[in-house]
Amino acid sequence: MSDSNTTVFTNPSSFILLGIPGLEAAHIWISIPFCAMYTIAVLGNFTILLIVRMEQSLHAPMYYFFCMLAVIDLVLSTTILPKMLSIFWFNSREIEFSDCFTQLYFIDCFAVMESGILVALGFDRYVAICDPLRHSTILTNTVVAKIGVAMLLRGGLLTLPRPFLETRWPYCRTNVIAHTYCDQIAVVKLACADIHFSSYYGFLVILLVTVPDVSFITFSYIQILRAIFSLPTKDARLKTFGTCGSHLCVILAFYIPALFSIFTQEFGHNVPLHFHVIAANMFLLLPPMLNPIIYGVRTKQIRDRLLHLLTHKGT
């Protein structure tokens, strides 16, 4: 293969992923925690799906949203981890041009979907606590299905224009991507074209997703807290707030790494490149690992069902 750093490319058939620049010698060691996180994510999310499917009492809106979140987390982590491990373990750095943009699209699309499902969970908690008598009539199975489809369409359609446009740009600078996967910013920097539209549209998507989603979740929890503090006893307040604990933890596990990764990429110009890459990977691997753990620890019905299955199997 010719030297990809000096050759001029026009519409390359493939890109070269460097992994984590500056830490190539430590790739094998870095792969251990990443592989462990992915293993926990796969086992944990499949366990959530299995428990909800088996337990009839968990066939309720909140647990359906948990399942949607589990599927999204599995797709997000699986989109990047296998290729990342092939780089770390086998030095297999090449990725096809079309595969690169497919990976890029899946990451953006399912990240938007995850944010939407967190909003849906916030709405479920709001109705359950602020208007409990109407919860079963408002959040019917049909409504839950419609919310899921709406979040799927929102993620798919909002993120479609960028890769649709970017696959038609000429890439003539180099085919080397200083990342472990096809990151949006890292890829468009290689284009010999005016990338302002892509940058502006990406910023617009972030605004259209983050601002309304975070605003709705914040509004929901303001109303929830008002309802909780109006309860007569401390035990009732703690018990009711406990039903929101898992959702709050999942929100923090998603938005904190996401915003940290975005801000380091946009404003952390003096931050080492390997730190950018690690932060971007943590955004896609940390929530899928933490979410099923949070559900298992903080959601009594899931925890009890899991213990029952383990005890029964052991017996």
Side-chain angles (χ1 to χ4, degrees), residues 44-60 62-68 70-71 301-302 305-306 309:
N45 285 294
F46 271 117
T47 300
I48 294 292
L49 293 171
L50 179 64
I51 288 176
V52 173
R53 186 178 185 278
M54 292 177 59
E55 184 59 47
Q56 190 68 31
S57 65
L58 300 183
H59 292 182
M62 182 174 71
Y63 302 102
Y64 291 146
F65 291 136
F66 281 176
C67 289
M68 294 179 196
V71 172
Q301 292 88 336
I302 292 178
R305 181 59 181 171
L306 179 60
L309 287 174

Side-chain angles (χ1 to χ4, degrees), residues 7-310:
T7 304
V8 176
F9 292 90
T10 57
N11 301 320
S13 60
S14 62
F15 290 107
I16 305 298
L17 296 168
L18 290 184
I20 304 179
L23 298 178
E24 289 85 356
H27 274 176
I28 292 294
W29 297 107
I30 296 172
S31 71
I32 296 174
F34 281 175
C35 188
M37 293 169 70
Y38 179 66
T39 302
I40 295 170
V42 170
L43 292 176
N45 285 294
F46 271 117
T47 300
I48 294 292
L49 293 171
L50 179 64
I51 288 176
V52 173
R53 186 178 185 278
M54 292 177 59
E55 184 59 47
Q56 190 68 31
S57 65
L58 300 183
H59 292 182
M62 182 174 71
Y63 302 102
Y64 291 146
F65 291 136
F66 281 176
C67 289
M68 294 179 196
L69 203 59
V71 172
I72 291 170
D73 283 340
L74 287 170
V75 173
L76 271 177
S77 55
T78 303
T79 298
I80 68 163
L81 206 285
K83 182 59 184 177
M84 186 195 306
L85 292 181
S86 73
I87 296 170
F88 290 169
W89 292 350
F90 309 112
N91 203 33
S92 176
R93 301 172 184 268
E94 191 171 8
I95 183 170
E96 295 295 321
F97 184 85
S98 58
D99 293 344
C100 181
F101 282 95
T102 300
Q103 185 186 60
L104 183 152
Y105 174 69
F106 268 65
I107 291 169
D108 288 351
C109 175
F110 280 86
V112 172
M113 287 184 202
E114 178 146 351
S115 182
I117 297 301
L118 293 180
V119 173
L121 277 164
F123 178 63
D124 171 77
R125 292 298 84 203
Y126 166 75
V127 176
I129 293 173
C130 298
D131 198 0
L133 296 179
R134 298 178 59 203
H135 183 265
S136 59
T137 58
I138 294 175
L139 281 168
T140 62
N141 288 344
T142 302
V143 171
V144 171
K146 287 180 179 179
I147 291 174
V149 172
M151 294 303 104
L152 177 67
L153 291 176
R154 186 184 75 151
L157 295 177
L158 265 182
T159 57
L160 183 60
R162 287 180 79 186
F164 184 79
L165 172 67
E166 290 161 4
T167 52
R168 285 155 176 76
W169 287 346
Y171 291 84
C172 58
R173 290 191 174 93
T174 178
N175 69 339
V176 176
I177 301 173
H179 216 290
T180 56
Y181 61 85
C182 289
D183 176 70
Q184 183 77 49
I185 296 175
V187 172
V188 297
K189 285 181 178 178
L190 307 182
C192 298
D194 185 358
I195 65 172
H196 285 93
F197 172 79
S198 179
S199 300
Y200 294 150
Y201 188 79
F203 184 69
L204 178 63
V205 170
I206 292 174
L207 285 180
L208 290 175
V209 172
T210 306
V211 172
D213 287 5
V214 172
S215 298
F216 185 86
I217 291 171
T218 302
F219 171 78
S220 298
Y221 272 91
I222 289 174
Q223 299 302 113
I224 287 170
L225 288 174
R226 289 178 61 184
I228 288 174
F229 285 121
S230 67
L231 295 174
T233 65
K234 182 180 178 180
D235 289 342
R237 291 194 291 269
L238 290 174
K239 183 177 180 180
T240 305
F241 186 76
T243 64
C244 304
S246 58
H247 183 225
L248 285 172
C249 291
V250 168
I251 290 171
L252 295 175
F254 176 76
Y255 283 111
I256 289 177
L259 293 174
F260 182 78
S261 178
I262 291 170
F263 280 115
T264 54
Q265 286 187 335
E266 293 295 334
F267 306 109
H269 303 297
N270 296 322
V271 176
L273 181 56
H274 65 265
F275 188 84
H276 286 289
V277 175
I278 292 174
N281 281 285
M282 294 302 289
F283 160 55
L284 297 176
L285 291 175
L286 195 61
M289 179 192 73
L290 290 179
N291 289 348
I293 296 174
I294 293 169
Y295 303 149
V297 171
R298 297 197 60 90
T299 307
K300 184 177 185 298
Q301 292 88 336
I302 292 178
R303 184 175 66 246
D304 290 348
R305 181 59 181 171
L306 179 60
L307 291 173
H308 173 75
L309 287 174
L310 294 175

